[in-house]
Amino acid sequence: MITLVDTTLRDGEQSPGVAFTIREKIEIASLLSSIGINEMEAGTPVIGGDEAQAVKEIIALGLPSRILTWNRVLERDIEASLNCGANALYISCPVSDIQIKKKLRKKREWVKERFSKLLPELKKEGLYVACGLEDASRADPSFVLEVSYLLEELGVDRVRICDTVGILTPFKTFELITSIRKNIKAPLEIHTHNDFGLATANALAGIKGGAVYASVTVNGIGERAGNASLEEVVMAIEKIEGVKTGINIRRLKELSLLVSRSSGKPIHPNKPIVGDLVFTHESGIHVDGVIKDPSNYEPFPPEDIGAKRRLIIGKHSKA
Ligand code: MN
């Protein structure tokens, strides 16, 4: 069984120009939970102000979903999360030499020291701790394994493997996850970005490789080209793989519209699953086929996700 981890409110909000209000965040979190998203990242409390307040209020809703907060491997980040009432945390640290050296100006050893210092204390407190290996896709694979081993020994609840700059292909994702899977027992999460348009494909490949959690955002919003899109991953699993996700897919269009409205990011008309043109047919041959039976030209009926079919007249209607 795959668990989708929605990060619309954290990674999604990191999309340039997006800033949800507290009310919008509560509305999105509640809808996510009610359609069956069991895990979500609510934000980064150390930012403070409205960000921390929103996390606090979302946790206080007592939704049946697990609410995680995002933290660097720093005491003050964790303290800010705990002050919001968090009992589930992501502790994230770069593992690529590029980011360890050029961003953190540290050494590999520092990464291991930080995790070794923080994890036992948090586990002693009974917290759920997921560790994020940032930029794992550009890291030395042997160091990714070394850190994963260490985290497992420290009692981590799951390890998130991040393709932070979106440079994996489905084949490479499969290999990466498979190789970690072979060596550690802790559950793995695949976290993908869409810089080459492969985020959804890579998420599916990660799942195939043995990841049991996958990060997604509604409409695929997120840093740069965005993240794997919730609706694409859900529908691919349900309709292509034929596996139930436990998500109420009939409300996907509603969820997509809510996030589009709140983020101020219109949905591209051709956006897979939720775009306005996805169930619109114009050419004569296709319209004829759809009238006879929609399954002639649709992979699944629009009603499945709460959308509608449209037949329109245009240049291609004659043929
Ligand atoms: Mn990310």
Side-chain angles (χ1 to χ4, degrees):
M1 181 75 180
I2 178 75
T3 301
L4 296 174
V5 185
D6 183 87
T7 180
T8 305
L9 301 178
R10 202 276 302 168
D11 222 342
E13 204 195 30
Q14 286 173 214
S15 177
V18 176
F20 299 118
T21 63
I22 295 178
R23 181 163 293 278
E24 284 166 344
K25 284 196 171 186
I26 288 175
E27 211 179 335
I28 293 167
S30 305
L31 183 52
L32 283 168
S33 186
S34 71
I35 71 161
I37 290 288
N38 293 327
E39 305 246 350
M40 69 183 89
E41 245 183 309
T44 308
V46 76
I47 293 172
D50 276 4
E51 174 78 2
Q53 188 59 28
V55 171
K56 203 174 191 173
E57 291 187 27
I58 289 168
I59 291 172
L61 293 173
L63 298 170
S65 314
R66 175 180 282 140
I67 309 294
L68 296 115
T69 63
W70 193 89
N71 307 269
R72 292 168 296 181
V73 282
L74 301 176
E75 278 82 357
R76 64 189 174 99
D77 286 40
I78 293 166
E79 205 175 309
S81 282
L82 300 180
N83 285 340
C84 291
N87 59 16
L89 290 85
Y90 274 110
I91 312 287
S92 233
C93 189
V95 289
S96 67
D97 289 330
I98 305 173
Q99 291 203 354
I100 294 172
K101 285 181 188 147
K102 294 187 188 166
K103 185 175 94 159
L104 302 177
R105 302 195 191 287
K106 303 281 185 200
K107 297 212 160 75
R108 285 186 185 186
E109 214 41 47
W110 184 85
V111 174
K112 290 162 65 182
E113 279 166 19
R114 285 279 78 205
F115 278 130
S116 305
K117 168 81 172 47
L118 297 171
L119 226 68
E121 291 169 16
L122 296 170
K123 287 311 299 169
K124 209 163 65 196
E125 297 294 320
L127 296 157
Y128 182 95
V129 187
C131 287
L133 306 190
E134 202 182 325
D135 209 19
S137 52
R138 289 194 299 178
D140 173 354
S142 69
F143 187 59
V144 174
L145 264 185
E146 200 178 320
V147 176
S148 303
Y149 269 133
L150 171 71
L151 293 173
E152 183 162 64
E153 273 173 23
L154 296 169
V156 73
D157 289 290
R158 73 178 186 245
V159 179
R160 175 190 248 185
I161 304 297
C162 303
D163 182 21
T164 302
V165 293
I167 46 90
L168 287 178
T169 63
F171 313 105
K172 287 182 175 169
T173 310
F174 181 81
E175 277 169 24
L176 177 66
I177 297 296
T178 309
S179 69
I180 303 170
R181 173 82 273 140
K182 258 191 243 155
N183 290 287
I184 74 158
K185 288 187 199 69
L188 299 181
E189 172 175 347
I190 179 74
H191 180 95
T192 60
H193 277 272
N194 207 29
D195 296 76
F196 288 88
L198 293 169
T200 296
N202 290 341
L204 294 176
I207 294 166
K208 211 46 145 192
V212 284
Y213 293 86
S215 313
V216 291
T217 65
V218 180
N219 300 333
I221 64 169
E223 302 260 15
R224 306 179 313 279
N227 291 56
S229 135
L230 180 149
E231 58 281 359
E232 291 174 21
V233 175
V234 168
M235 293 308 281
I237 295 173
E238 294 245 348
K239 300 292 179 180
I240 303 177
E241 305 280 357
V243 174
K244 287 276 170 225
T245 56
I247 309 292
N248 177 4
I249 59 172
R250 293 198 174 265
R251 297 185 73 184
L252 285 178
K253 181 77 179 182
E254 175 191 351
L255 176 67
S256 166
L257 289 170
L258 171 66
V259 171
S260 172
R261 225 171 29 239
S262 310
S263 63
K265 296 250 176 235
I267 302 160
H268 191 282
N270 293 110
K271 168 82 178 62
I273 315 296
V274 290
D276 263 352
L277 293 182
V278 172
F279 292 101
T280 301
H281 307 277
E282 181 197 293
S283 80
I285 294 166
H286 282 225
V287 168
D288 176 59
V290 168
I291 290 169
K292 286 172 180 152
D293 186 332
S295 69
N296 278 323
Y297 284 111
E298 287 172 356
F300 59 87
E303 305 83 57
D304 281 9
I305 57 149
K308 288 197 178 76
R309 175 181 304 115
R310 286 192 305 162
L311 304 179
I312 63 167
I313 306 288
K315 172 187 161 186
H316 305 96
S317 303
K318 281 188 242 161

